[in-house]
Amino acid sequence: LHVRVGEVAKFGSLSIKVGACMIRPPDQPADATAQLTISDSHPDQPGFDGWMLESAPQVSMLEHPTYDVRVTGCGA
């Protein structure tokens, strides 16, 4: 799923908004980080609002029983 900064994408019952996406400079190891706001249309399901790291998704993640959302990079 590709989502541009500032846009909201729907996937199943999730709404995923990308607030920002940054990559490391070329002289550093490759990595991307994105600021995400994720909500579920089912009110009893968890959401997420924060930064996710491509290289360490376990540090900050959506803890949802059905969906696994990960950052795979930033692009144009």
Side-chain angles (χ1 to χ4, degrees):
L1 184 64
H2 296 270
V3 185
R4 293 185 184 273
V5 172
E7 292 184 353
V8 177
K10 301 281 188 183
F11 185 82
S13 62
L14 297 182
S15 293
I16 304 166
K17 180 179 182 186
V18 179
C21 197
M22 299 184 295
I23 57 172
R24 286 187 179 164
D27 63 333
Q28 296 182 10
D31 196 11
T33 182
Q35 190 284 320
L36 304 175
T37 302
I38 305 170
S39 59
D40 193 310
S41 61
H42 301 106
D44 60 331
Q45 295 301 316
F48 178 86
D49 188 14
W51 290 88
M52 283 190 187
L53 306 167
E54 177 184 20
S55 64
Q58 72 279 9
V59 172
S60 181
M61 60 191 286
L62 171 68
E63 295 185 24
H64 195 284
T66 304
Y67 300 106
D68 183 14
V69 176
R70 294 175 186 243
V71 173
T72 59
C74 295

